[in-house]
Amino acid sequence: MADTADFWKSMESELFSQFGEESLSEVVPASQIQPKTAGGRRILNIFFIIDVSGSMRGMRIGQVNYAIENIIKELRTRDDLNSVIKVAIMEFCNEATWKTPTPILIDDYVFTPIDTYPAYTCYGKAFDALEVKLHKNGFMDPALGEYFAPLIMFVSDGEPTDFNEYPVALEKLKKNKWFSKSSKYAIAVGEGAKTEKVGRILEQFTGIRENVRYADEGAGLCNLIEYIAIRASEVQTSLVSSSYGGGKEQAQSIFNEVDNSLFSSIFGNQ
Amino acid sequence: MGSYAIKKSYTFENGVQLRSENGEIYTILQPLGRGGQGEVYKVQGADGVYALKWYHKDCLDRIDAAAFRKNLQKNVKQGVPTLSKGDVATQFIWPLQMIEPQAGSFGYLMDLFPAGYEPFKNVVMGLKKIPSTGQLIHLRWKSWFSVVTAGLNIVRAFEILHSLGLSYQDINDGGIAVNMTNGDVFICDCDNVSPDRTNLGIRGMMTFMAPEVVRGEKLPDRYTDEFSLAIILFRLFMHGHPLEGEATRDIRNDPSISDKQSEMQIYGTNPRYCLSSVNNTNPASLKYNSDVLKFGLLYPKELLDAFEQVFTLGIRENNKRLTATEWRKILLSVRDHLVLVNGYEAFFGKRYDKELPEGLRILKYKHGKEVYCMPDKILYSYHFNEFSNDFKTPVGKIIPTARKDVLGLYNASPHTIRFSMEGKEGSCPPKGKMPIMKGMEVSIDRTQFTVI
């Protein structure tokens, strides 16, 4: 180490003599390089689960549309990810519908805006519709290739209206192996959703407190979704050896203390 | 010969007092101008001088005036578009207060354009008329850096607006003013801003409208904003209109069709990009669109490719238009390809090969982003943090060193930069200096790049 420091020190004095002496006083190891997959491209499914109930109308669904369109375009430019990214979008209110009948390759995805409906917010319908697809005869068809654990983003602006039904659906979903292995994020949008109660319900979905984020009307949902999609997909696709059921690394969040200052937590300071 | 003047009558005489909806009094000082929608006055309030826009009654009669007013009240209440964790779209001259209705109309109050800003139209023409003398004077940008920064300021304003789920719906060159020294911009006429896919009857200005709006098939929304934004940028960078070329001239000069029909063809039913690289049936003319051809050779290919996509595929497919976020990334890349060589600015990365100046180093990021570096290049927050949108806060400066083949970097950020080359590692603390050498791997904050 000392030799290395001397090398740069001598280099510095050669290069910067006119600027006086400073810097390069200590040698710190370079940051770690993220591990790469051994070879072959695996599929990373990214699922967006979007609340399209009446209260999302106007600016809120406008924010969601702008954010998703941009992240699809951004992920397309990141061609050195060692994965093939596919996207599926679910809209839910009284019912849950997959806007994409099957996950679509990010390069082929033609985004069309999501509409809202004068209807309730039934989390249970969304959870059921997700559970059905997290199987090999659904969106995780092994005939199409090998999969990374999916990335799931859930966006809603309020607590569920199906209080009695959603817990049953969530319990069933939690028993799904792909769901437990997946990386899950929940974003509450708008003032009305910034409650402990909504936070606790969404925490049941994500399993990790840090992965429940809050985007108020001005919080830049676009930045938040971009951050989650890019960071989480990088993390997901670098976990080569993680096995079914999830290793310890799956319990980590991409959000650290620095990010808490950038993006609000629904629970206040975490 | 006698002179004829058409007397423009304004609704309010100087000295008339108007009351805002929260009870404050504003006195008309002088009219500033009038347009299709209304009149603008300079007014005196208790705490300063403002601009006041008053709508033409007949304009309000053509739309749902009650809904329009309610939306404007909502915009006043919400305030200038702001992302809660920092960025404010200060570029917008936002409606501040509503003025009480009278005689079937109403108005709103906003800040005046500050001094030192030129109307966008003048900036594109490079000319300005002195009102008192009628004399024409030339306007000059301070630098190419300022031109690109002006573009960035425009797109960043719309990026914030759009990411909040709003759309502007009437982007045109009449409401934009530019500081040609530092690239700062102001955008006024924010009275049509509404939640995306909600329209209150305003369609916009023909030459800036998306073709589907010109054809009357659709009302403005975020996607049509994106088309209009691309026209603004084309005018800023190329000094022309993307849909005007040799065929346009033939259409306008055809006596068998009316002006209205010809405009409909050019901007609505048969829009054709003048720099299209494939089957160009409306090429920019050497005689009439020489600026467009000249500037087309100047900028990095990435910018020209972006225009080509929007004005060919994007004419029909909304999805092929670029979002303001995509434009920000492209313009940052254009600025990253601009360096000072012997005291003169030069863009690299053009359609044709250009020899790189001696000593130039490129910072290559993992997703393909490249930053061309020569001494005096300033690096900004987004260079050290890939999730930053901040293109204004300097975090570093490229400096010369005693060796021609090695550049230096002054670290003006609060982070320590770590670097390695040929197995040797080093670090550069805040306010420190480090070499930028070919083959070096650099890591800062959460961002890494290689020097080539």
Side-chain angles (χ1 to χ4, degrees), chain B residues 120-168:
Chain B
F120 189 85
K121 287 176 190 175
N122 294 358
V123 169
V124 170
M125 292 293 289
L127 286 171
K128 174 186 185 176
K129 196 174 189 176
I130 305 292
S132 53
T133 61
Q135 185 196 357
L136 284 175
I137 57 169
H138 286 281
L139 296 173
R140 291 271 181 268
W141 286 94
K142 184 190 174 195
S143 60
W144 286 110
F145 187 86
S146 318
V147 178
V148 187
T149 304
L152 277 166
N153 280 315
I154 292 170
V155 301
R156 182 64 183 148
F158 290 106
E159 183 182 14
I160 293 175
L161 191 85
H162 288 166
S163 68
L164 288 171
L166 296 163
S167 57
Y168 186 90

Side-chain angles (χ1 to χ4, degrees), chain B residues 192-302:
Chain B
N192 302 314
V193 170
S194 325
D196 187 34
R197 307 173 86 196
T198 305
N199 180 275
L200 299 159
I202 304 295
R203 291 177 59 212
M205 191 184 285
M206 175 79 100
T207 49
F208 291 88
M209 285 180 193
E212 66 272 25
V213 179
V214 174
R215 294 193 300 268
E217 293 164 6
K218 197 177 161 188
L219 288 167
D221 62 7
R222 189 219 339 141
Y223 287 113
T224 67
D225 269 6
E226 284 166 359
F227 191 86
S228 309
L229 176 61
I231 294 183
I232 288 285
L233 294 173
F234 192 88
R235 292 192 69 69
L236 174 70
F237 287 105
M238 314 293 278
H239 295 210
H241 194 288
L243 306 177
E244 293 182 5
E246 286 177 4
T248 319
R249 193 153 291 274
D250 294 340
I251 294 168
R252 288 216 174 98
N253 287 342
D254 181 349
S256 66
I257 54 174
S258 70
D259 280 0
K260 200 174 170 184
Q261 287 170 322
S262 65
E263 302 294 288
M264 176 59 81
Q265 271 192 41
I266 294 164
Y267 304 115
T269 54
N270 192 14
R272 289 172 286 177
Y273 181 43
C274 68
L275 290 180
S276 176
S277 58
V278 187
N279 295 334
N280 193 343
T281 55
N282 184 27
S285 128
L286 261 176
K287 194 172 175 188
Y288 300 106
N289 314 102
S290 60
D291 269 4
V292 172
L293 292 169
K294 187 172 73 187
F295 287 109
L297 296 171
L298 181 85
Y299 298 110
K301 185 172 177 293
E302 199 175 358

